[in-house]
Amino acid sequence: MVADPVFIPVATVDRGGVVTSGVALTEKAARHVARYIERRGKGHGLRVGVRTTGCSGLAYKLEYVDEPVAEDCVFESHGVKVFVDPKSMPYIEGTELDFTREGLNEGFKFRNPNVKDECGCGESFRI
């Protein structure tokens, strides 16, 4: 039997809209994730993490969660659960995800206060 993930009810956001603990979604990003999970017909939320890659060293990874993992830290933002593995947490603590559309392009935009440098293509970052 798999133990329940650690659940932290909400990411903490200060009056200026800055995420001070956890990982948060903007309202727009939460609506996008909720719609996609509804269309899929399954899912518990969005998993956010990092992997080693690219010219700057780290890249974000996103996936929809069908099976929560016991070690996950779980935050809730605008009614959507955000799952983060403990190894990724130090790199993305305080991050806010937004969903943006610019012309014909759309996707998630990461606002990570820990980032010191990004590669020119924007695919990887360094802490």
Side-chain angles (χ1 to χ4, degrees):
M1 183 171 146
V2 177
D4 289 333
V6 175
F7 182 70
I8 301 166
V10 293
T12 307
V13 180
D14 71 12
R15 289 181 179 212
V18 176
V19 179
T20 56
S21 71
V23 176
L25 302 174
T26 63
E27 191 172 344
K28 199 176 196 182
R31 277 195 314 265
H32 177 77
V33 171
R35 275 194 307 264
Y36 191 78
I37 289 172
E38 187 177 321
R39 272 190 245 146
R40 288 179 77 224
K42 64 180 179 176
H44 295 275
L46 182 69
R47 182 179 315 283
V48 181
V50 297
R51 59 188 169 88
T52 304
T53 189
C55 16
S56 292
L58 298 169
Y60 298 107
K61 60 180 181 177
L62 294 172
E63 63 186 17
Y64 289 92
V65 176
D66 292 329
E67 293 294 325
V69 177
E71 295 79 31
D72 283 340
C73 296
V74 184
F75 304 94
E76 187 166 328
S77 196
H78 301 285
V80 174
K81 289 182 182 173
V82 179
F83 296 78
V84 181
D85 69 272
K87 289 182 182 177
S88 294
M89 198 65 213
Y91 302 106
I92 59 177
E93 176 79 37
T95 296
E96 179 183 60
L97 273 80
D98 193 11
F99 188 77
T100 62
R101 288 193 173 121
E102 296 173 6
L104 297 175
N105 298 320
E106 64 180 22
F108 287 100
K109 175 94 171 157
F110 292 82
R111 294 186 190 112
N112 184 343
N114 305 305
V115 171
K116 302 290 184 233
D117 192 24
E118 293 179 312
C119 70
C121 64
E123 291 297 318
S124 62
F125 63 96
R126 183 174 58 82
I127 299 292

